[in-house]
Amino acid sequence: MKDSHGRTIDYLRISLTDRCNLRCIYCMPEEGVCSLSHEDILTLEEIETIVEVAAEMGFKHIRLTGGEPLVRKGVVDCVRHIVETPGIERVAMTTNGILLPQMAKDLRAAGLSRVNVSLDTLDADQFRFITRRGELADALAGIDAALEAGLNPVKVNAVVVRSLDQDLLEFAKLSLDRPLHVRFIEYMPVGESSGVDGCGWGPEDVIDSDDVVRIVSERAQEAGLGPLLPLNEAAAEGWGPARYFHFEGALGTVGVISPMSRHFCKECNRLRLTADGKLRPCLFSDLEYDVRTPVRAGDRDGVKTAILEALGHKPEDHFDIVGTERKMSQIGG
Ligand code: SAM
Ligand code: SF4
């Protein structure tokens, strides 16, 4: 399926819930977002119907996200249903990993193939500071559980925020001994991110991905690991806009995702579905198309029309649009 700018759109990112068991400082306020009421949020059956219609239209890849997708009751059955939907080739999830020790095996058995675990620091105190309520050991256990369950690839996504002063080399070293794909993501001005000092997102907190690669590569050479070497995207089985590197002999890779320094809109292949049933053509724009009304009325043609509308309004580029009304946890990052 093509959008009006000739891009093939075959990837739907679905926010299963706006709720979360953490409160990352750049994503959610301490007291949480004003959660959607039960009736506002799509039921899992409604989500499954939207996926069926999307698959009939040519969507092949689904990512489940949130909020925290693993806090949504029934998520394993939902994964199974989506995996079994004709036309869907791969189902992935983005999670903070905290519940993976209990759930990774069941998710794998239900057909989940790949998982991205979000982790911004390897320091236990800093982890508590960033997430406001989480324990690093639980997130690390989640990564172990994902690998043990046979999820593949397992990617570790770290948002790089200058004032957090993260140890980037320690992260990159996670790729040495295990098939982990570590990706550094530029900090984005989504949903009035509260910022590490509570003063809001600021451009001074963004570190350009090229600088991240340079810093990691230089520090790695000082530590005797050798430089980061470029790889093609297939090496880490990406579907998206990351650029990949590796250390010689490493089992995993190191990638960077640069939404701020290099717009990758030309290669954009996705639509987003919010937990309350709005289709969003672009992360950085608050343009939304209601799909909850038709799906709730059992109107599959109406669902198709909403998808076509959203596709038809995908902007060519996000140009100068930075910042959105909705928080990342509500849009589904
Ligand atoms: N709870 C899950 C998790 O943390 O992986 C899924 C939802 S979370 C909103 C998805 C991703 O968005 C996480 O990797 C998070 O770090 C990222 N994110 C949230 N706010 C961001 C921001 N302002 N800039 C860049 N990434 C952000
Ligand atoms: Fe929750 Fe993920 Fe947002 Fe952190 S980034 S508060 S884990 S939704």
Side-chain angles (χ1 to χ4, degrees), residues 71-82:
V71 303
R72 178 86 196 245
K73 219 168 146 217
V75 60
V76 173
D77 288 338
C78 180
V79 166
R80 187 175 300 108
H81 189 105
I82 293 176

Side-chain angles (χ1 to χ4, degrees), residues 11 61-65 79 90-94 111-116 239:
Y11 177 16
H61 305 313
I62 303 289
R63 178 171 297 278
L64 301 175
T65 177
V79 166
R90 279 181 300 194
V91 183
M93 182 176 284
T94 298
L112 187 77
S113 47
R114 38 180 67 213
V115 71
N116 291 358
W239 308 335

Side-chain angles (χ1 to χ4, degrees), residues 3 5 7 265 281-282 285 287 310-319 321:
D3 73 356
H5 303 285
R7 295 169 295 203
C265 307
C282 174
S285 155
L287 211 58
L311 272 184
H313 288 88
K314 261 186 85 65
E316 188 179 0
D317 194 306
H318 61 79
F319 299 112
I321 312 171

Side-chain angles (χ1 to χ4, degrees), residues 20 22-24 26-28 66-68 96 329:
C20 188
L22 301 181
R23 294 283 183 274
C24 301
Y26 52 75
C27 178
M28 265 200 192
E68 174 49 41
N96 59 34
S329 59

Side-chain angles (χ1 to χ4, degrees), residues 91-126:
V91 183
M93 182 176 284
T94 298
T95 168
N96 59 34
I98 300 288
L99 293 172
L100 278 177
Q102 296 99 287
M103 300 178 75
K105 277 207 184 95
D106 289 345
L107 289 164
R108 180 73 196 102
L112 187 77
S113 47
R114 38 180 67 213
V115 71
N116 291 358
V117 180
S118 305
L119 177 64
D120 302 324
T121 179
L122 294 171
D123 177 279
D125 288 334
Q126 193 176 44

Side-chain angles (χ1 to χ4, degrees), residues 64-330:
L64 301 175
T65 177
E68 174 49 41
L70 294 182
V71 303
R72 178 86 196 245
K73 219 168 146 217
V75 60
V76 173
D77 288 338
C78 180
V79 166
R80 187 175 300 108
H81 189 105
I82 293 176
V83 166
E84 287 169 0
T85 303
I88 296 300
E89 292 177 5
R90 279 181 300 194
V91 183
M93 182 176 284
T94 298
T95 168
N96 59 34
I98 300 288
L99 293 172
L100 278 177
Q102 296 99 287
M103 300 178 75
K105 277 207 184 95
D106 289 345
L107 289 164
R108 180 73 196 102
L112 187 77
S113 47
R114 38 180 67 213
V115 71
N116 291 358
V117 180
S118 305
L119 177 64
D120 302 324
T121 179
L122 294 171
D123 177 279
D125 288 334
Q126 193 176 44
F127 188 87
R128 265 179 233 119
F129 170 73
I130 294 174
T131 64
R132 294 200 186 99
R133 54 186 63 181
E135 289 298 329
L136 174 66
D138 294 336
L140 293 176
I143 293 172
D144 295 344
L147 288 169
E148 271 162 33
L151 289 162
N152 182 28
V154 178
K155 300 184 182 179
V156 176
N157 287 347
V159 179
V160 180
V161 181
R162 190 184 301 278
S163 44
L164 287 176
D165 195 20
Q166 294 134 306
D167 188 334
L168 304 181
L169 180 59
E170 279 308 303
F171 263 110
K173 281 162 64 177
L174 291 178
S175 70
L176 290 174
D177 303 330
R178 296 191 293 172
L180 280 176
H181 304 284
V182 176
R183 286 123 46 98
F184 296 111
I185 302 175
E186 287 174 352
Y187 188 28
M188 295 181 277
V190 175
E192 305 163 47
S193 315
S194 59
V196 289
D197 54 3
C199 296
W201 178 92
E204 64 285 353
D205 250 337
V206 180
I207 304 186
D208 188 311
S209 290
D210 289 345
D211 290 334
V212 169
V213 173
R214 184 181 47 73
I215 292 165
V216 172
S217 204
E218 282 173 10
R219 291 207 44 213
Q221 287 177 84
E222 284 160 21
L225 290 174
L228 274 180
L229 307 165
L231 275 175
N232 63 28
E233 186 186 331
E237 297 187 54
W239 308 335
R243 288 178 286 145
Y244 286 100
F245 303 82
H246 74 145
F247 293 119
E248 197 166 351
L251 295 182
T253 65
V254 177
V256 288
I257 303 181
S258 326
M260 302 305 292
S261 63
R262 300 179 181 210
H263 292 191
F264 34 72
C265 307
K266 271 203 192 70
E267 298 121 59
C268 187
N269 57 354
R270 62 197 63 184
L271 277 188
R272 290 183 149 80
L273 174 63
T274 66
D276 58 345
K278 303 284 189 293
L279 286 164
R280 283 180 71 105
C282 174
L283 173 63
F284 289 101
S285 155
D286 282 317
L287 211 58
E288 296 184 342
Y289 296 88
D290 174 37
V291 72
R292 189 178 67 197
T293 306
V295 77
R296 219 154 256 191
D299 174 9
R300 290 173 82 99
D301 284 344
V303 171
K304 188 172 172 187
T305 305
I307 294 174
L308 288 173
E309 274 247 42
L311 272 184
H313 288 88
K314 261 186 85 65
E316 188 179 0
D317 194 306
H318 61 79
F319 299 112
D320 296 330
I321 312 171
V322 282
T324 60
E325 288 293 318
R326 296 244 222 179
K327 310 226 177 301
M328 196 69 136
S329 59
Q330 295 172 308

